[in-house]
Amino acid sequence: MSNAIEVLYFVQQKSPTYIQSMEEELDESLFSSTITASEEAMTVLEEVIMYTFQQCVYYISKCLYVSLPALLECNPFPNPSEGREGWRASPPLPEELRRVVLTYQEVLDLLRQYEVHPEITSQMFAYLFFFSNTLLFNQLLDKGSSLGCFHWSQGVKLRASVRLLLEWLRGAGFEQLAQQFFAKLASVANLLAMPGSQLLQVGEGGGKLWQRDGKQLQQRADTTSSSPSAGEKRGALILPHAAGLLPGSATLSPIHPRASQQCVLQPGQAPSGRLRAL
């Protein structure tokens, strides 16, 4: 994939100039064949990059599919038997979390080893983070009750695990991508870790807010429709609903190796590395 990106960039940048310089030396048919061959070469290179990218994401996501669900039952806190020193020192990552970040690290090391363009690296991790967030979120909705994730104590553990994961990703240089694609999971973890008394206060406040807004909307509807013209019927008031809070609207579809077609360099983007033999 790295070599194909380098060659594609070279063809995109150098081929037009090279072909133009040969225009006077070649007859019309041969010149036309040269242009066609150049276009076909770029098409083949784009397909190679696309296919390799998709297959990499697909097989990496299969590895994550096995290791990610264990995060929902992970206990990130040190063992009390280790004493106070265990709390003071920076604790190692739990085994469940270590398997996940090890997969990310191996992918990052390979991409750097073969000097894959940074834009392609960023896009690949965007796919992986999207898949990770989707899988954990859907697992939480489907199996959270049976796993005890909806209890406050387990919610605190889940929030700590998510924070450890985000801290590791920030250290690896993916802070912005991680915040973008793990926002939904982090929000749910924060909600599950919220004490019950605080949830009741939020619920009461939210109910009062909806009642106040609903009353204001009803008053406005009554005011605007109190004097309808002849033949005009009074319309029904439709109150807004919190679509973004419904589980159905928050559930995402898992990633597929052919989910997108935007993983090739645009003209003008220079690769950062040299050609390497795979």
Side-chain angles (χ1 to χ4, degrees):
M1 182 169 64
S2 180
N3 288 350
I5 293 171
E6 299 281 350
V7 175
L8 176 61
Y9 174 76
F10 176 83
V11 174
Q12 287 175 337
Q13 298 299 312
K14 303 297 183 181
S15 179
T17 305
Y18 179 70
I19 293 176
Q20 187 176 4
S21 66
M22 299 173 60
E23 184 175 4
E24 298 179 355
E25 302 176 4
L26 302 176
D27 55 43
E28 185 176 351
S29 60
L30 186 57
F31 181 73
S32 177
S33 300
T34 304
I35 295 178
T36 302
S38 176
E39 293 175 349
E40 290 178 352
M42 287 189 288
T43 300
V44 171
L45 288 170
E46 288 177 353
E47 291 177 353
V48 169
I49 297 170
M50 193 76 61
Y51 179 79
T52 309
F53 182 93
Q54 292 167 346
Q55 292 300 307
C56 286
V57 172
Y58 176 66
Y59 285 103
I60 295 167
S61 63
K62 288 183 67 174
C63 296
L64 291 171
Y65 185 84
V66 176
S67 58
L68 278 169
L71 284 181
L72 298 179
E73 302 178 82
C74 174
N75 182 12
F77 299 112
N79 193 333
S81 62
E82 296 177 358
R84 301 181 64 180
E85 293 300 326
W87 291 88
R88 291 177 181 175
S90 178
L93 292 175
E95 181 62 24
E96 298 87 346
L97 184 57
R98 192 185 67 83
R99 295 195 198 102
V100 175
V101 299
L102 185 61
T103 302
Y104 292 148
Q105 186 64 61
E106 290 291 338
V107 175
L108 183 59
D109 290 343
L110 283 173
L111 293 174
R112 288 175 175 173
Q113 177 183 348
Y114 291 105
E115 300 182 7
V116 175
H117 192 277
E119 287 294 330
I120 301 298
T121 299
S122 179
Q123 289 184 38
M124 181 170 292
F125 274 95
Y127 274 67
L128 297 179
F129 294 162
F130 169 80
F131 172 81
S132 300
N133 176 81
T134 301
L135 177 64
L136 288 172
F137 189 88
N138 290 343
Q139 288 277 328
L140 188 60
L141 292 181
D142 294 339
K143 302 180 181 180
S145 180
S146 60
L147 296 176
C149 295
F150 299 148
H151 295 288
W152 173 79
S153 59
Q154 192 62 31
V156 172
K157 295 177 182 179
L158 177 60
R159 180 178 63 181
S161 297
V162 173
R163 286 181 176 177
L164 284 176
L165 176 60
L166 294 179
E167 288 176 3
W168 187 90
L169 293 175
R170 182 172 62 250
F174 297 110
E175 180 177 8
Q176 185 175 356
L177 281 178
Q179 289 179 350
Q180 176 183 353
F181 288 100
F182 284 100
K184 192 178 297 294
L185 179 64
S187 298
V188 173
N190 289 333
L191 181 64
L192 294 176
M194 190 178 295
S197 58
Q198 191 173 352
L199 282 174
L200 290 175
Q201 294 176 0
V202 172
E204 292 174 358
K208 293 177 181 178
L209 181 61
W210 276 106
Q211 291 177 4
R212 184 193 66 186
D213 292 345
K215 185 180 295 184
Q216 290 176 353
L217 288 171
Q218 186 63 53
Q219 290 174 353
R220 290 180 60 186
D222 293 341
T223 302
T224 55
S225 58
S226 58
S227 301
S229 58
E232 182 181 1
K233 295 185 179 180
R234 184 172 179 175
L237 176 66
I238 302 177
L239 295 177
H241 72 96
L245 301 180
L246 296 178
S249 64
T251 304
L252 305 174
S253 301
I255 196 170
H256 189 272
R258 301 188 181 274
S260 174
Q261 299 294 318
Q262 299 179 353
C263 65
V264 297
L265 290 177
Q266 299 299 322
Q269 287 183 301
S272 61
R274 301 182 302 275
L275 287 176
R276 296 178 61 90
L278 295 177

